[in-house]
Amino acid sequence: DTEVTQTPKHLVMGMTNKKSLKCEQHMGHRAMYWYKQKAKKPPELMFVYSYEKLSINESVPSRFSPECPNSSLLNLHLHALQPEDSALYLCASSRPTSGSTDTQYFGPGTRLTVL
Amino acid sequence: AQKVTQAQTEISVVEKEDVTLDCVYETRDTTYYLFWYKQPPSGELVFLIRRNSFDEQNEISGRYSWNFQKSTSSFNFTITASQVVDSAVYFCALRETNAGNNRKLIWGLGTSLAVNP
């Protein structure tokens, strides 16, 4: 079972709203990722959690705030976003094996529109 | 510096044609991993294959096959007898082992494949 789930599928929010994206996996993976993907572009890494600790922040603006409540859940809290933040937000997970052998499995994404 | 090039931006074929998607990579590392992902219009990135740099054996999975050649730094993907359901954007990606705990994938820009009935 290589399923990563994300909610909601679509989200429309105003620039003053606060919302959260949720991601869940039950594969026993201990690394989880948030990506942002604009149309016709590859995914851009935002954050990586390894064993529930933030290990990588790719200089993401503070209006994006990640949270990893437990090994199965990953949230992305959104506040005061800009229209240019509209994108597909993808969550992924992997086994954090030594070296770089771990394969990332992706969820279906949340299509975010900021008005 | 590491880099992945997918020179074909868009490809359009008619159903049942064979199609090859090219991927050329650059790395200074001797141990690395290469990946292919498929992204249909629904948006989900679907993992297709992972190949490590020590395994140059070609791989076949149903209608899909991959040709890894270290001599030309290429990891090409062929779909045989294409079907409309193969229409998607296909991404090639590279991961170096000297990245340590950095789990960053280096992505190509993707190739958009349209298979027409």
Side-chain angles (χ1 to χ4, degrees), chain A residues 2 4 88 90 106-109, chain B residues 38-46:
Chain A
T2 57
V4 178
L88 179 67
L90 292 160
F106 287 80
Chain B
K38 172 184 179 180
Q39 189 171 38
S42 59
E44 181 174 357
L45 273 164
V46 178

Side-chain angles (χ1 to χ4, degrees), chain A residues 78-106:
Chain A
L78 314 172
H79 173 54
L81 293 193
Q82 304 297 309
E84 59 264 30
D85 297 321
S86 298
L88 179 67
Y89 287 84
L90 292 160
C91 173
S93 70
S94 70
R95 294 187 302 125
T97 54
S98 60
S100 305
T101 59
D102 52 326
T103 295
Q104 295 179 28
Y105 295 94
F106 287 80

Side-chain angles (χ1 to χ4, degrees), chain B residues 60-80:
Chain B
I60 299 175
S61 176
R63 295 184 297 107
Y64 294 173
S65 62
W66 289 270
N67 182 357
F68 176 35
Q69 292 198 350
K70 284 181 79 169
S71 59
T72 56
S73 296
S74 66
F75 186 40
N76 296 337
F77 172 32
T78 297
I79 302 175
T80 303

Side-chain angles (χ1 to χ4, degrees), chain B:
Chain B
Q2 63 273 56
K3 184 179 177 183
V4 175
T5 300
Q6 294 180 256
Q8 304 147 309
T9 305
E10 295 180 356
I11 300 176
S12 181
V13 300
V14 177
E15 217 172 5
K16 298 184 183 176
E17 280 187 42
D18 298 348
V19 58
T20 295
L21 310 182
D22 297 332
C23 174
V24 174
Y25 62 92
E26 295 175 31
T27 178
R28 285 175 290 189
D29 209 355
T30 54
T31 304
Y32 50 89
Y33 292 82
L34 295 162
F35 301 80
W36 275 95
Y37 285 87
K38 172 184 179 180
Q39 189 171 38
S42 59
E44 181 174 357
L45 273 164
V46 178
F47 165 70
L48 296 178
I49 191 171
R50 182 186 76 210
R51 172 67 74 214
N52 74 57
S53 53
F54 294 112
D55 182 3
E56 289 194 68
Q57 205 167 21
N58 290 334
E59 175 133 354
I60 299 175
S61 176
R63 295 184 297 107
Y64 294 173
S65 62
W66 289 270
N67 182 357
F68 176 35
Q69 292 198 350
K70 284 181 79 169
S71 59
T72 56
S73 296
S74 66
F75 186 40
N76 296 337
F77 172 32
T78 297
I79 302 175
T80 303
S82 59
Q83 300 176 1
V84 172
V85 293
D86 297 326
S87 298
V89 179
Y90 291 86
F91 290 99
C92 181
L94 165 72
R95 174 89 180 278
E96 295 174 328
T97 56
N98 68 1
N101 285 325
N102 185 341
R103 304 185 183 285
K104 192 170 181 177
L105 287 168
I106 308 302
W107 296 85
L109 294 181
T111 296
S112 178
L113 174 65
V115 181
N116 303 298

